[in-house]
C-alpha cells in the first residue's frame, strides 16, 4: 500500500515537474536565438563540481550544507526512481534511501539553522526572506517524510505513516512545482541548464571572458529594451538565481546607498520574463525605491516600468557581482545591454555622460582637448613618438590619464623606468584616440566602434611588437575587446611588463626607502577583468615593500567607484564609493595605498582625509638604481618622487 | 505642440569642432532644430552644402527627420528662398561657429523673402498666425515680443532647449539632395562670385572711451540702470537713427 503510494507520488511529481519545465521553457523561448547544442548537457557534471563549486566553496558553511542537502536529495530521488519508479521495492535499496535522506535531513537542518538567530545574532541581510524562508522547512519535510516511509520497518503505526505521507507530499510539492511556479527550487533545474547553456561558454575552459559582445548596429541592434530582447539563455540564467545576495554584499554601489542591488536587478528581470510585479521580492530593496511599485512582462519596455534608469546608471561595471555569483550569472552584460538601449535609442545617459560622449565623437578624447596635448607631459623626457617608418619594440599607449596632471607623474615615472631598463619604446602621439572604453560602458556602442575602428586602422600603419599601458581600462579594451573588430595585439599592463623586466634583470631596483605601512588596491579592470593580481605584488616585494592586504583584495577587491562611467552619471547615494575604499585602507592602518590605474588614482585621491596614493610606477622609480651617467637628468626627478 | 503653424523650416549648417576641426553640427542651429521639433513633428530641414558632409549625420541624430540639401552651385540665398515660400516660420542659429556657415545669411534671406527677422530668441510659443517669443537682452534682461507670421527667427545660444543625441535616429532619418534643376536657372554662376568668404573676425565693440572709477565699472557691470546714455523714444526712424549717428561721430567711433 505505502509502496504504491510512493510510486504514484513519484510519477505524479515527475510529470508535474516536466510540465512545469515545459511551461518555463516557453518563457525562456521568448528570448532571442542563441547557439546551443543538446550535447552541452553532458558538460553539466564537470561544470557543477568544478566551476560552480569553486565559487560556492568560498563560503565553506553553505558549501557543506549544500553538498549534503542537494547531494542527499539527488541520491534519494534517484534511488526512489529506481526502487519505486520501477516498482522493485527492494529492502536493500530502501536502506540506501534512508542513508541519503538522513544526509539530506542534516543538510537541510543546517540550512534552517543559518536562517534562524540561533548561531549568529541575525541571518545575513543579503539573504532573501519570503518563500526562501519556507524552503528549509519543505526540505526537512521531504527528507523526514521519505525517511520514515522508506524505513524498512513493517510496524509503522498508521498515524505516523499518515503524517510521514503528508510531510513527503508537502516536500514533493516544493520540489515538483518549483520550476513551473517559479518557487525557490526553480534554481535546481534552471541552474543546471544554465551551466550547460551559459552565454559565455569560454568561462568553463579556464579562459577569461570579460569582453562585452559587439552590437551589429547596421542590423539595428540597439541593446535590450524589453525582457524578450535578451538571448534565451540569458533569461534562463536569471532564473537560476538563488537570491543568496552574494552579489549584493559585494556591490560597491549598493554599499554606497545608491539605488542598485544586483540581486534585485536579476529578480526584476525574472519578474519581467515571467510577467508580474516585484511585490513578492523579499530581500534588500534598491535604496530609496520602494518594493512593489514596479511591474513588467516579456514584451514591455523595462525602463522605467520594471527598473528605473538610475539603477542601471549606478553600476561601475566592476564585476564584483559576477565574481561572487555561485550561479555564474552575468550581471554586467545585462546592465550594459539595457544601458545600450537607453543611450542609443533615447540618448538619455544622465549628468555629464552626454557631454563626454559628444567630446569623444568630436575630438576622440573625453574632455574635448587637442590630441596633440596627450603627450605634452613627455616633451622634456626625450621620448620617441612612433610613426609608420619607425618600428619599435614597445608602443606606449597612455590613455585618457595622460591629460590629467596627477597621472602625468605616474607616466613620467614609468618612462624613467623604461629608460633605465633600456627598453626600445615610443609613445603613440597624436595618432592615439580614446579607446572607447567609457563610451562602451555607457552603452554608446556606436561611438565605441567608431573609436575602435579608428585606433585599429592607426595601429595597422605602425610596427611594434607589443603595446604597453598603465591604464587597465586601455588594457582591457585593446586586449579583450578589439579582437572582435580585427585588432589582435599583445597588450601588457605596466605592472606585468615591469615585473618581467625585474625578473629578467633588465630593471635594477634598490630597496625602497618607504617605511610607512602600505597596502595595494587592485583595479577591477586589472584583477577581475584581466586576472592580474600577482605582478603588482611581486614588484612591491622586489623593492622590499610588504603589502598589508585589505579585507577585500585581489580578485575580490572592492571597486574605487571609477569604472563604467559611474563618476559621470553620478547617481546619488548615501556615501561615495571611494570613501568606502579609503575606509578599508584606514581600517588596517595603511599610510600608503599603492595603485595601478589612473581612475583609481583619481577616485582615491578625491577623498579628503586619506593615506597617500602612489602608483606602483612611482614607488619603483623612487628606488631606481641610477648606474649609468646617461640617465643623470633623471636623478633629480627621482628624488622628487621619493620626497 | 500646436497645429496653428502649418509649415516650419529650420536652416542647418555644417559646423566644425573648434579644437579638432572635425565636422560636426553647429550647436546654434541644433538649438533652432530642437525648437522647431518642439513646435511641430513635421518640419522642413534645409542645408546648403554637400550631402556627404558628416555633420549632417549629427542633425539626424539630433532629431531631423529628413534633411534636404540644396546645391551651392548657384546663389544660395535664392536657392533657399525658392524652398521657403509658403513657410510660416523659419528658424536658424544665431551666427557662424567654425564651419561653412554665414552669420549674415538669415538677414539676406529675410530681406529676400521680405520677412520680419527676430534675433536672439530663447523661447517660442505658437498661436494662431502669430508667435510669442522671448528675446535675449544683455545683463539678464529678457523681452517678450509678439510676431506676426510668417517670420524668420534666429535662436540665441542660451535658448533653454535640451539637445538629445540619439544614434538610432541616424538610421531613421534621411538626407536627400534637391537637384539643381529645381532652382531658377536665371541666377548664373556670376552670382556666386559675389560671395566673399573670409575668416570670421572678432566683432569690434563700438564703445566711447570713458574713464570710470572702479565703483562705476562695478555698477555698470551689475545693473542695467547705472549706465549713462539715453533711451530715444521720440521721433521717427530717421530722427532716431540721427541721434545714434551723432553719438558715434561725437566719440569718433566712425569716420563718415
Ligand atoms: S545573482 Fe547570483 S549572487 Fe546574486 S543573489 Fe542571485 S545567485 Fe546570488
Ligand atoms: S558590476 Fe559592480 S557596481 Fe555593477 S552591479 Fe555588479 S557589483 Fe554592483
Amino acid at each position: 500500500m505505502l509502496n504504491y503510494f510512493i510510486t504514484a507520488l513519484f510519477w505524479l511529481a515527475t510529470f508535474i515537474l516536466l510540465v512545469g519545465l515545459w511551461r518555463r521553457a516557453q518563457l525562456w523561448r521568448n528570448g532571442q536565438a542563441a547557439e546551443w547544442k543538446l550535447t552541452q548537457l553532458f558538460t553539466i557534471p564537470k561544470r557543477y563540481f568544478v566551476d560552480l563549486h569553486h565559487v560556492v566553496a568560498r563560503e565553506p558553511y553553505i558549501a557543506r550544507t549544500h553538498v549534503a542537502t542537494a547531494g542527499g536529495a539527488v541520491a534519494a530521488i534517484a534511488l526512489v526512481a529506481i526502487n519505486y519508479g520501477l516498482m522493485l521495492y527492494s529492502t536493500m535499496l530502501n536502506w540506501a534511501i534512508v542513508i541519503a535522506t538522513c544526509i539530506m535531513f542534516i543538510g537541510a537542518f543546517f540550512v534552517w539553522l543559518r536562517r534562524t538567530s540561533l548561531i549568529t545574532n541575525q541571518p545575513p541581510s543579503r539573504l532573501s526572506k519570503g518563500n526562501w524562508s519556507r524552503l528549509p522547512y519543505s526540505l526537512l519535510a521531504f527528507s523526514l517524510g521519505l525517511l520514515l516511509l522508506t524505513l524498512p520497518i513493517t510496524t509503522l503505526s498508521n498515524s505516523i505513516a499518515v503524517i510521514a505521507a503528508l510531510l513527503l507530499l508537502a516536500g514533493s510539492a516544493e520540489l515538483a512545482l518549483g520550476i513551473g511556479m517559479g518557487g525557490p527550487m526553480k534554481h535546481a533545474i534552471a541552474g543546471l541548464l544554465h551551466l550547460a547553456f551559459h552565454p559565455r561558454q569560454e568561462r568553463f575552459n579556464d579562459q577569461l571572458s570579460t569582453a562585452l559582445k559587439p552590437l551589429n548596429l547596421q542590423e539595428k541592434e540597439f541593446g535590450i529594451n524589453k525582457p524578450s530582447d535578451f538571448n534565451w539563455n540569458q533569461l534562463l540564467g536569471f532564473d537560476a538565481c538563488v537570491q543568496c545576495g552574494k552579489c549584493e554584499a559585494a556591490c560597491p554601489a549598493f554599499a554606497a546607498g545608491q539605488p542598485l542591488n544586483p540581486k534585485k536587478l536579476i529578480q526584476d528581470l525574472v519578474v519581467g520574463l515571467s510577467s508580474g510585479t516585484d511585490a513578492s521580492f523579499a530581500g534588500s530593496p534598491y535604496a530609496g525605491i520602494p518594493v512593489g511599485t514596479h511591474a513588467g512582462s516579456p514584451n514591455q519596455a523595462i525602463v522605467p516600468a520594471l527598473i528605473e534608469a538610475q539603477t542601471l546608471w549606478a553600476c561601475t561595471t566592476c564585476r564584483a557581482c559576477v565574481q561572487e555569483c555561485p550561479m555564474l550569472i552575468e550581471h554586467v552584460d545585462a546592465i550594459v545591454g539595457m544601458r545600450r538601449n537607453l543611450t542609443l535609442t533615447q540618448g538619455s545617459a544622465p549628468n555629464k555622460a552626454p557631454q563626454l560622449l559628444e567630446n569623444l565623437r568630436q575630438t576622440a578624447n573625453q574632455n574635448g582637448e587637442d590630441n596633440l596635448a596627450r603627450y605634452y607631459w613627455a616633451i622634456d623626457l626625450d621620448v620617441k613618438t612612433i610613426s609608420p617608418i619607425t618600428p619599435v619594440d614597445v608602443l606606449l599607449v597612455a590613455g585618457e590619464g595622460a591629460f590629467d596632471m596627477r597621472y602625468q607623474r605616474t607616466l613620467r615615472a614609468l618612462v624613467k623606468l623604461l629608460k633605465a631598463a633600456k627598453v626600445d619604446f615610443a609613445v603613440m602621439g597624436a595618432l592615439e584616440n580614446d579607446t572607447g572604453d567609457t563610451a562602451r560602458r555607457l552603452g554608446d556602442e556606436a561611438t565605441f566602434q567608431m573609436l575602435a575602428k579608428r585606433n585599429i586602422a592607426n595601429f595597422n600603419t605602425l610596427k611594434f611588437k607589443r603595446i604597453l599601458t598603465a591604464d587597465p581600462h586601455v588594457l582591457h579594451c585593446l586586449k579583450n575587446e578589439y579582437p572582435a573588430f580585427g585588432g589582435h595585439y599583445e597588450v601588457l599592463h605596466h605592472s606585468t611588463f615591469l615585473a618581467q623586466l625585474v625578473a629578467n634583470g633588465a630593471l635594477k631596483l634598490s630597496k625602497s626607502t618607504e617605511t610607512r605601512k602600505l597596502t595595494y588596491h587592485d583595479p577591477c579592470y586589472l584583477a577581475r577583468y584581466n586576472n592580474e593580481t600577482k605582478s603588482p605584488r611581486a614588484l612591491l616585494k622586489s623593492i622590499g615593500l610588504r603589502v598589508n592586504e585589505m579585507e577585500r583584495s585581489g580578485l575580490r577587491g572592492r571597486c574605487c567607484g571609477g569604472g563604467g562611467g559611474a563618476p559621470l552619471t553620478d547617481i546619488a547615494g548615501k556615501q561615495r564609493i571611494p570613501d568606502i575604499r579609503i575606509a578599508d585602507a584606514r581600517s588596517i592602518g595603511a599610510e600608503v595605498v599603492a595603485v595601478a590605474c589612473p581612475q583609481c588614482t583619481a577616485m582615491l585621491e578625491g577623498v579628503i582625509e586619506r593615506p597617500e596614493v602612489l602608483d606602483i610606477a612611482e614607488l619603483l622609480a623612487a628606488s631606481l638604481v641610477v648606474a649609468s651617467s646617461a640617465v643623470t637628468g633623471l636623478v633629480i626627478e627621482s628624488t622628487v618622487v621619493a620626497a | 505642440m500646436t497645429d496653428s503653424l502649418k509649415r516650419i523650416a529650420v536652416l542647418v549648417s555644417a559646423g566644425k569642432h573648434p579644437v579638432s576641426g572635425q565636422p560636426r553640427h553647429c550647436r546654434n542651429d541644433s538649438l533652432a532644430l530642437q525648437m522647431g521639433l518642439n513646435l511641430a513633428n513635421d518640419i522642413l530641414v534645409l542645408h546648403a552644402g554637400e550631402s556627404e558632409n558628416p555633420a549632417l549625420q549629427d542633425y539626424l541624430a539630433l532629431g531631423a527627420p529628413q534633411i534636404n540639401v540644396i546645391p551651392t552651385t548657384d546663389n544660395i540665398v535664392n536657392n533657399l528662398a525658392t524652398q521657403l515660400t509658403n513657410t510660416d516660420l523659419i528658424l536658424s542659429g544665431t551666427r557662424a561657429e567654425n564651419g561653412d556657415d554665414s552669420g549674415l545669411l538669415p538677414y539676406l534671406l529675410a530681406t529676400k523673402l521680405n520677412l520680419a527677422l527676430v534675433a536672439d530668441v530663447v523661447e517660442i510659443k505658437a498661436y494662431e498666425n502669430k508667435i510669442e517669443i522671448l528675446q535675449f537682452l544683455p545683463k539678464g534682461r529678457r523681452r517678450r515680443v509678439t510676431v506676426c507670421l510668417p517670420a524668420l527667427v534666429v535662436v540665441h545660444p542660451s535658448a533653454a532647449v535640451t539637445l538629445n543625441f540619439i544614434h538610432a535616429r541616424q538610421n531613421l532619418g534621411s538626407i536627400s539632395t534637391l537637384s539643381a534643376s529645381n532652382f531658377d536657372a536665371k541666377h548664373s554662376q556670376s552670382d556666386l562670385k559675389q560671395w566673399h568668404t573670409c575668416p570670421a573676425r572678432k566683432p569690434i565693440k563700438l564703445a566711447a572711451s570713458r574713464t570710470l572709477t572702479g565703483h562705476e565699472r562695478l555698477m555698470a557691470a551689475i545693473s542695467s540702470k547705472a549706465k549713462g546714455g539715453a533711451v530715444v523714444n521720440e521721433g521717427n526712424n530717421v530722427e532716431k537713427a540721427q541721434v545714434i549717428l551723432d553719438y558715434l561721430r561725437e566719440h569718433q567711433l566712425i569716420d563718415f
Side-chain angles (χ1 to χ4, degrees):
Chain A
M1 175 43 199
L2 261 184
N3 285 346
Y4 293 131
F5 168 72
I6 298 177
T7 299
L9 185 61
F10 171 78
W11 285 114
L12 180 67
T14 307
F15 175 72
I16 291 175
L17 186 113
L18 287 176
V19 171
L21 177 59
W22 184 80
R23 280 185 46 194
R24 203 72 192 177
Q26 301 310 305
L27 297 179
W28 301 331
R29 287 184 54 191
N30 284 327
Q32 305 298 306
E35 248 181 75
W36 66 286
K37 288 196 289 288
L38 208 56
T39 49
Q40 281 170 287
L41 288 172
F42 297 122
T43 61
I44 292 177
K46 180 256 162 187
R47 292 179 178 185
Y48 179 81
F49 286 111
V50 180
D51 301 287
L52 184 141
H53 204 73
H54 177 75
V55 184
V56 180
R58 287 180 209 149
E59 197 193 352
Y61 180 96
I62 195 65
R64 282 187 221 119
T65 37
H66 192 264
V67 166
T69 320
V74 169
I77 292 168
L79 289 164
V80 167
I82 296 168
N83 202 23
Y84 292 89
L86 304 178
M87 313 218 299
L88 302 179
Y89 308 129
S90 125
T91 316
M92 278 282 288
L93 285 174
N94 266 357
W95 277 113
I97 295 175
V98 167
I99 295 169
T101 45
C102 278
I103 296 172
M104 181 184 173
F105 185 83
I106 296 168
F109 173 75
F110 282 101
V111 174
W112 171 79
L113 199 60
R114 183 169 72 139
R115 290 182 163 267
T116 64
S117 349
L118 291 182
I119 41 168
T120 46
N121 289 336
Q122 231 168 18
S125 65
R126 60 180 166 84
L127 294 178
S128 286
K129 314 279 182 307
N131 53 17
W132 284 89
S133 298
R134 183 187 73 211
L135 185 61
Y137 297 102
S138 314
L139 296 175
L140 286 169
F142 178 83
S143 48
L144 189 62
L146 190 59
L147 175 70
L148 291 174
L149 289 183
T150 51
L151 264 186
I153 307 170
T154 37
T155 55
L156 202 57
S157 88
N158 273 352
S159 52
I160 293 189
V162 169
I163 292 171
L166 288 176
L167 285 175
L168 181 61
L169 216 54
S172 303
E174 179 80 86
L175 299 191
L177 289 169
I179 184 79
M181 313 260 292
M185 282 315 292
K186 167 177 66 118
H187 84 271
I189 310 275
L192 292 176
L193 293 177
H194 181 228
L195 284 181
F197 303 117
H198 197 282
R200 288 178 179 269
Q201 294 285 319
E202 322 81 76
R203 274 186 75 163
F204 304 99
N205 306 331
D206 272 334
Q207 281 171 31
L208 265 182
S209 176
T210 53
L212 293 170
K213 305 264 151 71
L215 288 183
N216 188 341
L217 296 166
Q218 282 70 43
E219 293 298 317
K220 301 202 168 71
E221 281 179 18
F222 294 138
I224 309 293
N225 176 252
K226 44 196 195 301
S228 59
D229 289 341
F230 284 105
N231 286 350
W232 73 269
N233 51 2
Q234 288 180 288
L235 296 178
L236 164 66
F238 304 146
D239 252 347
C241 172
V242 290
Q243 302 198 32
C244 65
K246 287 185 183 168
C247 52
E248 165 184 325
C251 177
F254 179 80
Q258 292 175 4
L260 167 62
N261 173 356
K263 173 172 103 173
K264 171 110 185 4
L265 183 104
I266 298 300
Q267 283 313 305
D268 283 348
L269 294 173
V270 171
V271 164
L273 79 94
S274 57
S275 302
T277 77
D278 67 337
S280 62
F281 178 73
S284 318
Y286 300 131
I289 303 179
V291 168
T293 51
H294 290 76
S297 60
N299 289 312
Q300 190 192 334
I302 295 172
V303 179
L306 184 57
I307 298 174
E308 299 284 347
Q310 45 169 331
T311 294
L312 302 176
W313 294 119
C315 175
T316 69
T317 69
C318 72
R319 278 184 81 83
C321 46
V322 184
Q323 180 72 21
E324 292 302 312
C325 180
M327 305 311 280
L328 313 185
I329 293 167
E330 294 281 346
H331 314 64
V332 177
D333 287 348
I335 291 172
V336 175
M338 292 183 277
R339 281 186 178 187
R340 283 171 165 176
N341 193 259
L342 292 180
T343 301
L344 295 173
T345 71
Q346 295 175 31
S348 59
N351 292 324
K352 296 209 192 86
Q355 182 60 56
L356 174 118
L357 296 174
E358 175 160 279
N359 290 340
L360 285 174
R361 281 194 299 273
Q362 295 173 1
T363 64
N365 64 67
Q366 299 189 351
N367 292 307
E369 305 195 52
D370 188 341
N371 274 325
L372 276 172
R374 199 186 286 269
Y375 286 96
Y376 278 1
W377 55 268
I379 266 173
D380 60 332
L381 294 182
D382 189 23
V383 175
K384 272 193 288 182
T385 301
I386 199 167
S387 77
I389 47 166
T390 52
V392 287
D393 191 12
V394 172
L395 172 62
L396 178 61
V397 175
E400 289 298 306
F403 292 108
D404 171 45
M405 284 171 77
R406 163 63 185 90
Y407 203 67
Q408 290 169 358
R409 299 214 304 266
T410 301
L411 291 167
R412 290 175 68 89
L414 176 60
V415 163
K416 199 182 308 170
L417 292 162
L418 295 177
K419 290 197 155 187
K422 305 219 164 43
V423 175
D424 172 31
F425 74 102
V427 297
M428 204 169 162
L431 284 177
E432 183 177 335
N433 292 298
D434 181 279
T435 56
D437 166 77
T438 310
R440 193 169 219 200
R441 287 347 105 177
L442 286 171
D444 192 345
E445 184 73 2
T447 301
F448 164 73
Q449 291 191 6
M450 187 255 302
L451 291 168
K453 284 172 192 160
R454 253 200 243 172
N455 271 323
I456 290 172
N458 284 349
F459 284 139
N460 289 348
T461 63
L462 306 172
K463 290 196 189 63
F464 55 87
K465 292 213 187 72
R466 52 208 144 158
I467 295 174
L468 174 66
T469 181
D471 184 339
H473 298 265
V474 171
L475 171 76
H476 169 63
C477 230
L478 299 188
K479 184 178 165 199
N480 303 327
E481 299 197 329
Y482 276 24
F485 301 90
H488 300 269
Y489 314 104
E490 183 188 349
V491 194
L492 295 175
H493 185 246
H494 71 315
S495 66
T496 315
F497 186 62
L498 293 172
Q500 288 173 5
L501 292 179
V502 169
N504 66 23
L507 186 60
K508 297 205 172 41
L509 301 167
S510 62
K511 291 287 166 242
S512 173
T513 52
E514 184 64 68
T515 53
R516 291 171 293 177
K517 194 169 182 190
L518 174 141
T519 188
Y520 170 67
H521 164 79
D522 287 275
C524 306
Y525 276 71
L526 187 60
R528 279 188 289 273
Y529 277 81
N530 284 289
N531 201 23
E532 175 61 284
T533 55
K534 296 195 185 75
S535 296
R537 290 177 170 78
L539 281 172
L540 291 169
K541 198 171 162 214
S542 74
I543 53 168
L545 291 176
R546 204 174 83 83
V547 176
N548 300 276
E549 295 290 357
M550 288 182 272
E551 191 194 325
R552 297 186 183 198
S553 64
L555 294 178
R556 306 181 76 185
R558 198 203 292 270
C559 177
C560 70
L568 303 158
T569 54
D570 198 19
I571 301 301
K574 291 191 189 61
Q575 21 174 0
R576 292 175 65 248
I577 297 174
D579 290 346
I580 304 178
R581 191 51 172 163
I582 287 294
D584 286 349
R586 287 161 71 101
S587 72
I588 59 159
E591 292 158 290
V592 178
V593 181
V595 291
C597 167
Q599 292 281 356
C600 301
T601 313
M603 294 306 284
L604 297 181
E605 282 211 333
V607 179
I608 297 166
E609 271 186 48
R610 57 169 159 78
E612 191 170 358
V613 178
L614 288 173
D615 193 277
I616 294 208
E618 293 177 283
L619 286 161
L620 294 184
S623 26
L624 200 54
V625 181
V626 187
S628 75
S629 56
V631 279
T632 40
L634 301 166
V635 178
I636 309 152
E637 258 224 324
S638 86
T639 53
V640 172
V641 174
Chain B
M1 207 142 295
T2 167
D3 302 330
S4 53
L5 288 175
K6 281 179 284 303
R7 250 164 76 94
I8 298 181
V10 183
L11 312 181
V12 297
S13 59
K16 239 192 226 168
H17 191 276
V19 178
S20 69
Q22 227 172 273
R24 66 160 190 186
H25 67 105
C26 166
R27 187 172 174 277
N28 292 339
D29 293 342
S30 302
L31 294 173
L33 172 65
Q34 186 59 48
M35 270 196 169
L37 289 168
N38 291 349
L39 292 171
N41 281 328
D42 186 24
I43 58 172
L44 175 71
V45 183
L46 289 177
H47 169 70
E50 301 295 329
S51 60
E52 289 83 39
N53 194 318
L56 296 189
Q57 294 293 324
D58 280 5
Y59 290 113
L60 293 182
L62 288 163
Q66 183 183 11
I67 301 175
N68 291 316
V69 179
I70 285 170
T72 52
T73 49
D74 242 317
N75 184 312
I76 296 171
V77 172
N78 288 338
N79 286 357
L80 282 170
T82 56
Q83 299 300 306
L84 291 168
T85 47
N86 298 326
T87 305
D88 290 326
L89 178 63
I90 304 170
L91 292 158
S92 89
T94 293
R95 56 191 300 246
E97 278 182 343
N98 255 298
D100 273 344
D101 38 16
S102 158
L104 274 185
L105 184 110
Y107 294 86
L108 297 174
L109 197 59
T111 312
K112 169 93 195 167
L113 292 168
N114 201 17
L115 291 180
L117 183 144
V118 199
D120 291 340
V121 171
V122 293
E123 207 182 281
I124 304 179
K125 282 200 200 104
Y127 299 97
E128 192 75 38
N129 290 329
K130 64 179 186 212
I131 50 173
E132 189 186 279
I133 57 113
L134 192 64
Q135 193 176 34
F136 175 93
L137 296 174
K139 301 204 169 128
R141 283 180 305 149
R142 299 286 183 272
R143 171 162 66 189
R144 226 169 255 296
V145 183
T146 304
V147 184
C148 289
L149 295 178
L152 198 157
V153 162
V154 177
V155 177
H156 190 265
S158 66
V161 290
T162 333
L163 300 183
N164 205 356
F165 188 97
I166 299 177
H167 177 81
R169 291 200 287 215
Q170 274 181 0
N171 294 14
L172 295 176
S174 61
I175 298 174
S176 58
T177 309
L178 300 176
S179 78
S181 60
N182 288 2
F183 301 97
D184 211 344
K186 75 171 185 279
H187 301 288
S188 65
Q189 290 289 327
S190 61
D191 273 357
L192 192 62
K193 296 214 182 83
Q194 292 167 5
W195 284 78
H196 302 289
T197 50
C198 62
R201 270 171 305 164
K202 254 197 155 174
I204 304 158
K205 200 172 176 191
L206 292 178
S209 58
R210 283 184 298 168
T211 36
L212 293 176
T213 64
H215 181 256
E216 281 165 337
R217 276 205 304 276
L218 175 73
M219 292 316 285
I222 60 174
S223 83
S224 48
K225 289 204 188 77
K227 232 213 129 178
V231 178
V232 187
N233 285 325
E234 259 100 80
N236 60 24
N237 285 351
V238 177
E239 286 161 359
K240 284 179 190 164
Q242 192 60 48
V243 176
I244 297 172
L245 199 58
D246 291 346
Y247 175 87
L248 293 172
R249 283 188 176 136
E250 181 192 335
H251 291 90
Q252 281 133 40
L253 293 168
I254 50 171
D255 53 5
F256 56 88

